[in-house]
Amino acid sequence: MSTPTTPSEIEKIAVLADSAADQWAATPARVRADALEAVADALDAAADTLVPLAASETNLADGRLRGELKRTTFQLRLFAQMLAEGSYLDARIDHADPDWPMGAPRPDLRRLLIPLGPVVVFAASNFPFAFSVAGGDTASALAAGCSVILKAHSGHPELSRQTGEIVAGALAAAGAPEGLFTVIFGTEAGRIALQHPLVKAGAFTGSIPGGRALFDLAQSRPEPIPFYGELGSVNPVFVTRAAADERSESIAHEFVGSFTLGAGQFCTKPGVIFVPRGSDFTDRLTEVQLPAAAPLLNSRIQEGYCTSLTALQQTGKVRVIVDSEGSLSDPPAPSILATTIDAVLEDPDGVMAEVFGPTALVVEYDDENQLLEVARIIEGQLTATVVGEESDAIAPDLLRLLAKRAGRLLWNQWPTGVSVTHAQQHGGPYPATTAVTSTSVGTAAISRFLRPVAYQGVPQTLLPDELRDDNPLGIPRRIDGVRSA
């Protein structure tokens, strides 16, 4: 077990991170891109060491972990590619215009995004590579030009230590400044680091209570800072009557495959599915062979799962329809519960509470208009899924309402599996996240760690290269309102 980082050590780390952030922000984007590529190469080269270590600390299978490590190095390389292209800077130039029609001359104004500074990243437990030490938050912050203080997750401490050494070593070999990336250990160390005056942002993936506590700390500082927390989501699925009548068997099989994937420990697990009363969907579910019981990530996750599942069962508003023997055992067998649409409408927060693990809730509705009622009252979600037919009369209104509640809408697909792309959105209204305008997956995640600065009347020789008229970096810009290539 790694020794908790002390307050005096955090002070030194924060000072170094602040100095490194200044140097890294001034480092050309192509050099930062090369450094990200070097980190990706080093992680790939260490796969045979890191994967067995991750398996020993998380109970995750070799194949799953190797796939996740590939995703991790892929997203590092994707950010490197984006840095070379330059559009993430959102560079804008408005030349001086004495006849500007607002009624006064327009001065010469030039705007771009610059790095925030040191960032504290809190690693997640359920993705020990992709959302941990070298995960998306780290990749996007480093790409933006920020330094990173990484608070390791207690669920995989030795993996965190070794991964951190690989990342720091690769960055140093690529010429990055000392202190650009540091791993710290211990819950209190994370709190202290987040409150350090030199830290300018925080990022977190985990539970609602933990994330909200850190968000409140970030906001209560003398200088409040942005805190990008991914907290909780039940990712509801809405099945129309036409879809249930047409393909209930395939929907049932796909649903089980999705909510049991990774023993139900994905933040995008579809935890609640709405189906029409009178369809044979529930019967089809009972015919699906559930996976065998699988160990959860660690004892804390196991305890939390049993507590949440027991609390849901004790509401008196749900019944068991598929219960493998040992649903509360260690490891827990998958189970499926059911309730009515009336119970959800009366107590949406209680009945649709997140249960992080291999269980799901089926809600039977009487009229499709009740789906619109649910869409109006549910909490913020990472995803919402509609399983339907294009001819469904309810589809346009349902998608419109769900867009107000979720960050990603799916049509006849399943939310588990979050592709790392330029157009991805992994975030949503609270309590899914604490920052509804941002994403933690995809290249748009870089914007979390950048802020805009406008230069007015500054001579060409003193402007950043990105804003000079001759555009020496060749990046796309918006000039006098017109987007340039």
Side-chain angles (χ1 to χ4, degrees):
M1 190 71 175
S2 298
T3 303
T5 308
T6 66
S8 61
E9 290 172 329
I10 291 172
E11 177 63 29
K12 295 176 183 177
I13 289 168
V15 171
L16 271 177
D18 184 54
S19 175
D22 282 343
Q23 298 174 63
W24 192 238
T27 300
R30 66 179 182 278
V31 176
R32 299 206 303 269
D34 289 343
L36 293 179
E37 293 272 7
V39 172
D41 290 345
L43 290 171
D44 281 339
D48 289 341
T49 298
L50 295 178
V51 168
L53 179 55
S56 70
E57 289 191 314
T58 66
N59 293 320
L60 296 175
D62 183 275
R64 148 73 195 272
L65 288 166
R66 289 188 183 276
E68 187 187 329
L69 181 57
K70 181 178 180 180
R71 167 192 169 139
T72 303
T73 57
F74 168 78
Q75 64 191 4
L76 284 161
R77 294 186 175 100
L78 190 64
F79 276 109
Q81 294 171 15
M82 184 190 62
L83 286 178
E85 187 266 343
S87 63
Y88 73 96
L89 293 167
D90 192 25
R92 301 171 181 231
I93 296 174
D94 289 337
H95 292 102
D97 184 352
D99 301 318
W100 188 237
M102 69 167 277
R106 181 178 75 186
D108 186 278
L109 283 165
R110 296 161 190 249
R111 180 185 187 272
L112 84 164
L113 302 178
I114 67 169
L116 287 176
V119 174
V120 174
V121 172
F122 293 81
S125 64
N126 58 333
F127 284 88
F129 291 122
F131 281 84
S132 189
V133 174
D137 290 339
T138 294
S140 54
L142 290 175
C146 298
S147 56
V148 172
I149 300 171
L150 189 289
K151 191 272 174 187
H153 197 280
S154 60
H156 46 270
E158 184 58 24
L159 175 67
S160 298
R161 185 185 66 78
Q162 292 199 27
T163 305
E165 289 176 355
I166 291 169
V167 173
L171 289 172
E178 181 185 5
L180 183 65
F181 177 84
T182 309
V183 178
I184 62 174
F185 296 87
T187 300
E188 186 60 23
R191 294 193 186 102
I192 293 171
L194 185 64
Q195 296 177 89
H196 196 284
L198 293 176
V199 166
K200 299 304 178 185
F204 169 89
T205 299
S207 68
I208 292 176
R212 182 55 196 253
L214 292 172
F215 171 82
D216 290 344
L217 277 182
Q219 297 304 299
S220 65
R221 295 170 26 135
E223 177 198 0
I225 57 173
F227 183 81
Y228 301 102
E230 180 199 314
L231 310 186
S233 183
V234 298
N235 307 296
V237 177
F238 300 82
V239 181
T240 67
R241 187 169 294 278
D245 289 344
E246 179 70 23
R247 45 198 164 94
S248 62
E249 183 176 6
S250 63
I251 296 170
H253 278 271
E254 291 166 7
F255 173 62
V256 169
S258 186
F259 92 77
T260 61
L261 187 65
Q265 298 172 107
F266 285 15
C267 54
T268 52
K269 180 197 80 174
V272 179
I273 187 167
F274 293 83
V275 299
R277 192 188 308 277
S279 73
D280 64 353
F281 179 81
T282 300
D283 293 336
R284 296 295 189 182
L285 272 181
T286 63
E287 298 169 357
V288 178
Q289 180 68 45
L290 296 181
L296 300 189
L297 290 159
N298 52 60
S299 59
R300 288 177 58 189
I301 298 294
Q302 169 71 26
E303 181 181 353
Y305 171 70
C306 291
T307 299
S308 299
L309 180 55
T310 299
L312 180 58
Q313 292 173 330
Q314 290 177 345
T315 63
K317 298 177 180 179
V318 303
R319 68 184 191 279
V320 176
I321 57 173
V322 180
D323 187 9
S324 304
E325 185 177 351
S327 60
L328 293 173
S329 299
D330 185 3
S335 62
I336 304 175
L337 310 177
T339 191
T340 65
I341 189 69
D342 291 336
V344 169
L345 294 174
E346 290 169 5
D347 182 19
D349 294 344
V351 177
M352 292 180 61
E354 182 180 17
V355 180
F356 190 74
T359 196
L361 179 68
V362 177
V363 182
E364 294 184 326
Y365 65 85
D366 300 300
D367 185 287
E368 285 186 342
N369 287 323
Q370 291 172 316
L371 300 182
L372 303 181
E373 293 183 57
V374 172
R376 291 187 180 97
I377 65 171
I378 57 173
E379 292 183 320
Q381 306 290 331
L382 291 173
T383 75
T385 299
V386 177
V387 178
E389 302 294 325
E390 195 170 349
S391 58
D392 285 324
I394 196 176
D397 284 341
L398 186 56
L399 288 169
R400 175 180 58 82
L401 290 172
L402 291 175
K404 297 180 179 182
R405 294 287 184 263
R408 178 162 58 107
L409 303 182
L410 296 97
W411 177 264
N412 289 333
Q413 296 182 33
W414 298 94
T416 37
V418 184
S419 183
V420 180
T421 72
H422 300 291
Q424 185 59 272
Q425 173 59 31
H426 190 63
Y430 187 85
T433 66
T434 60
V436 69
T437 59
S438 69
T439 179
S440 63
V441 178
T443 56
I446 197 173
S447 65
R448 296 173 299 165
F449 305 118
L450 299 165
R451 69 176 182 86
V453 174
Y455 294 79
Q456 181 170 331
V458 177
Q460 289 285 312
T461 55
L462 300 179
L463 284 169
D465 286 349
E466 295 86 351
L467 296 179
R468 284 170 40 186
D469 283 342
D470 59 353
N471 194 12
L473 301 180
I475 66 171
R477 307 184 297 183
R478 186 173 296 279
I479 300 177
D480 295 327
V482 179
R483 190 72 173 174
S484 67

